């Protein structure tokens, strides 16, 4: 199984495209779009996430995906696991009663929210997104789960930018990343 896992990781890594100086000079943007347009690479991502969940989180109730790229991987994983999916959206995008938190961005503040009845107290959830940089968005999602009295079992991302130390902001939650730069 280890050889199969390694081959899948290599396939995923080959499908991450680097764009230097985007969105501004000095930043290397890691583009996951090639993963999405290649069925084998996309399947490899979901296979690897599923393997991680089945090996480490036997009792999970919901996958919680972050706006917007967590929406690409979260529902596929939730379907494989036979559980539900909950979106965390930017403020003002969800109908009905919502719960929100504000968080810091590099150049200001933002707000994230979920529908008030999306997660019940005591439910066990895993957070998913495409990339972990500074950890602000995943931290906001974990705060939403805390407000809802849900238990965050961990965070999962396709790519982790290690030098930005996003995992520090997410402690005590563990982060599982497929690829690290």
């Amino acid at each position: 199984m280890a050889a199969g896992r390694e081959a899948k990781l290599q396939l995923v890594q080959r499908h991450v495209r680097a764009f230097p100086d985007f969105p501004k000079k000095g930043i290397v943007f890691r583009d996951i779009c090639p993963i999405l347009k290649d069925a084998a690479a996309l399947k490899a991502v979901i296979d690897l996430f599923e393997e991680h969940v089945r090996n480490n989180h036997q009792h999970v109730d919901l996958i919680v995906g972050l706006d917007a790229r967590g929406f690409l991987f979260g529902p596929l994983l939730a379907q494989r696991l036979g559980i539900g999916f909950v979106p965390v959206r930017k403020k003002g995008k969800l109908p009905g009663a919502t719960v929100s938190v504000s968080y810091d961005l590099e150049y200001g503040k933002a707000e994230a929210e979920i529908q008030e009845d999306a997660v019940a107290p005591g439910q066990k959830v895993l957070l998913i997104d495409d990339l972990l940089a500074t950890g602000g968005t995943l931290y906001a999602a974990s705060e939403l789960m805390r407000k809802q009295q849900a238990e965050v079992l961990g965070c999962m991302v396709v790519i982790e930018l290690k030098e930005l130390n996003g995992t520090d902001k997410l402690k005590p939650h563990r982060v599982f990343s497929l690829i690290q730069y």
Side-chain angles (χ1 to χ4, degrees):
M1 187 66 153
R5 184 178 191 288
E6 190 58 38
K8 288 176 184 179
L9 284 170
Q10 289 174 7
L11 176 64
V12 172
Q13 190 152 21
R14 283 195 310 269
H15 283 80
V16 174
R17 199 166 36 177
F19 284 96
D21 299 323
F22 183 82
K24 67 179 195 170
K25 191 160 184 61
I27 293 177
V28 178
F29 186 88
R30 303 293 177 174
D31 181 22
I32 60 154
C33 290
I35 292 171
L36 300 172
K37 74 178 192 176
D38 185 280
L42 181 57
K43 181 181 183 309
V45 167
I46 303 308
D47 287 350
L48 291 163
F49 281 147
E50 179 185 12
E51 177 185 353
H52 171 74
V53 173
R54 292 197 188 280
N55 289 337
N56 297 282
H57 306 289
Q58 290 78 29
H59 304 290
V60 59
D61 298 310
L62 295 168
I63 299 295
V64 177
L66 281 64
D67 196 344
R69 292 186 172 165
F71 298 177
L72 302 172
F73 303 106
L76 296 172
L77 178 59
Q79 182 185 35
R80 285 258 194 105
L81 296 170
I83 61 176
F85 173 79
V86 171
V88 170
R89 297 291 319 262
K90 293 178 178 102
K91 181 112 174 117
K93 300 290 184 182
L94 291 170
T98 60
V99 177
S100 67
V101 295
S102 63
Y103 62 100
D104 293 325
L105 295 170
E106 294 171 52
Y107 305 106
K109 287 193 174 287
E111 283 189 76
E113 66 183 3
I114 60 169
Q115 290 175 313
E116 192 174 74
D117 61 355
V119 180
Q123 283 193 299
K124 294 173 179 4
V125 304
L126 286 166
L127 306 178
I128 192 168
D129 204 0
D130 68 322
L131 182 126
L132 172 61
T134 61
T137 310
L138 276 166
Y139 178 77
S142 70
E143 284 297 293
L144 280 171
M145 296 303 105
R146 186 186 57 74
K147 279 187 167 188
Q148 294 300 95
Q149 300 172 24
E151 181 183 344
V152 176
L153 300 176
C155 305
M156 299 180 297
V157 295
V158 178
I159 298 168
E160 178 183 351
L161 303 178
K162 301 278 285 176
E163 68 184 27
L164 298 177
N165 300 314
T167 56
D168 292 346
K169 187 173 229 162
L170 297 172
K171 288 180 180 170
H173 306 303
R174 287 198 170 151
V175 175
F176 173 73
S177 56
L178 299 180
I179 301 168
Q180 301 83 31
Y181 292 99

